[in-house]
Amino acid sequence: MKARAQDWSSYWRAPDRPLEAMHAHFVEHVYHRHSHDSYSFGVTEDGAQSFSCRGAAHTSAAGMIMAFNPDEPHDGHSSTDLGFTYRMVHIGPSLVEGALADLAGGRAGLPLFAAPVVADPVLAGALRRLHTALLDDRASVLRRDELLAVTLASLVRRAATTAPRLIAAGADDQVAMLVRDRLHAAFLDDVTADDLAEAAGRSRFAVYRAFHAKYGMPPSDYQRQLRLREARRLIAGGLPISHAAIAAGFSDQSHLTRWFTRVYGLTPGAYQLSSTLA
């Protein structure tokens, strides 16, 4: 018989904007009826959570999405004796409105989510990626900005009942090249989506869309690639790996090792040894 896990939770809050995230497992905890002044989107990872909202009972099982509008009362408790694990992201209306205005290319209204529970694997994946980046202190501001915009666009298109019209995808090579030049000029900078938008003279989402269309990856991935190339150059030149990691813009050696291995298929240590033997 599977043992009952203890309740646990972790919380992250942005210092400069209305954006928060929670990761938790609850067996005993029961949420008293309450509401948030933000949009709240959750994905159940394991088990099932039952709650009442809008005068009806709902259950979010593993892989399902929960979507609450601002000031929408709800409660919550485990549906089973083994509890449930879930990820939750709280996004202030002002941040949602600003992101959607950027996506729409002009002033945009706020969306309404009529279904408190949505079964959509695509949305579940998008929320997990955003949530993971928010709780990862090594994730760049640019990466978080990109995932927030992409996730909100997906939520609006796939789950909102009323929503602003978002701009269709398209390519703009000139915008992409301007962003590429900005990244190459200062790839060690902790640039934001606003920085790239200013450099290109376009909206943040237009920048993301154009860059991805031309180079096949988001600007944050491209920036990491430039940092990895710099780390390779420094390691090949004989700089200790720990020093190369910091000099190339990574938080520490383990951070560099994780991405170096994922991208190149070998550790920085193995690469250093091959350089020594060459």
Side-chain angles (χ1 to χ4, degrees):
M1 181 179 294
K2 187 177 180 180
R4 286 161 57 107
Q6 296 294 315
D7 288 4
W8 56 263
S9 64
S10 59
Y11 209 88
W12 175 89
R13 177 171 54 86
D16 56 349
R17 51 184 174 172
L19 181 62
E20 302 180 3
M22 182 180 188
H23 192 197
H25 175 84
F26 292 133
V27 178
E28 304 291 346
H29 181 68
V30 175
Y31 279 111
H32 185 75
R33 192 163 182 79
H34 67 286
S35 66
H36 302 275
D37 58 1
S38 63
Y39 285 92
S40 299
F41 304 107
V43 56
T44 304
E45 294 187 301
D46 190 39
Q49 177 180 184
S50 295
F51 60 93
S52 61
C53 182
R54 303 176 205 172
H58 305 274
T59 297
S60 176
M64 291 184 171
I65 301 299
M66 292 172 288
F68 301 112
N69 299 296
D71 300 315
E72 192 161 65
H74 57 280
D75 50 26
H77 60 86
S78 177
S79 305
T80 72
D81 290 339
L82 296 177
F84 64 97
T85 307
Y86 77 120
R87 298 175 181 268
M88 204 79 184
V89 179
H90 304 287
I91 311 172
S94 61
L95 187 56
V96 172
E97 186 173 28
L100 294 184
D102 189 65
L103 292 166
R107 185 174 177 81
L110 289 170
L112 175 67
F113 296 88
V117 176
V118 180
D120 189 321
V122 173
L123 286 183
L127 275 171
R128 286 193 196 96
R129 287 188 290 273
L130 171 61
H131 188 279
T132 299
L134 294 179
L135 267 66
D136 182 1
D137 57 7
R138 294 172 171 177
S140 67
V141 175
L142 178 59
R143 177 64 173 167
R144 288 170 173 165
D145 285 347
E146 290 172 351
L147 288 174
L148 178 62
V150 169
T151 302
L152 282 173
S154 187
L155 282 162
V156 166
R157 288 185 171 119
R158 302 176 71 91
T161 302
T162 60
R165 178 181 175 275
L166 304 185
I167 298 174
D172 189 325
D173 286 355
Q174 182 63 30
V175 168
M177 288 187 287
L178 286 170
V179 172
R180 181 180 182 275
D181 290 345
R182 172 66 174 85
L183 291 173
H184 274 268
F187 63 88
L188 294 179
D189 291 354
D190 193 10
V191 298
T192 68
D194 285 332
D195 293 333
L196 298 183
E198 182 179 356
R202 297 288 294 276
S203 74
R204 292 169 298 176
F205 193 68
V207 162
Y208 176 89
R209 185 177 64 242
F211 194 91
H212 198 289
K214 184 168 181 62
Y215 296 109
M217 65 181 71
S220 62
D221 283 355
Y222 191 87
Q223 181 188 45
R224 186 190 306 112
Q225 175 178 273
L226 295 177
R227 292 178 176 183
L228 285 168
R229 291 174 182 174
E230 176 67 4
R232 280 170 62 107
R233 185 186 70 79
L234 294 173
I235 293 169
L239 193 68
I241 296 171
S242 59
H243 294 179
I246 300 303
F250 293 88
S251 58
D252 53 33
Q253 183 172 336
S254 64
H255 188 205
L256 169 62
T257 298
R258 176 163 62 93
W259 281 107
F260 198 100
T261 304
R262 287 183 65 178
V263 171
Y264 298 125
L266 76 164
T267 66
Y271 180 73
Q272 183 182 55
L273 181 60
S274 69
S275 299
T276 303
L277 296 176

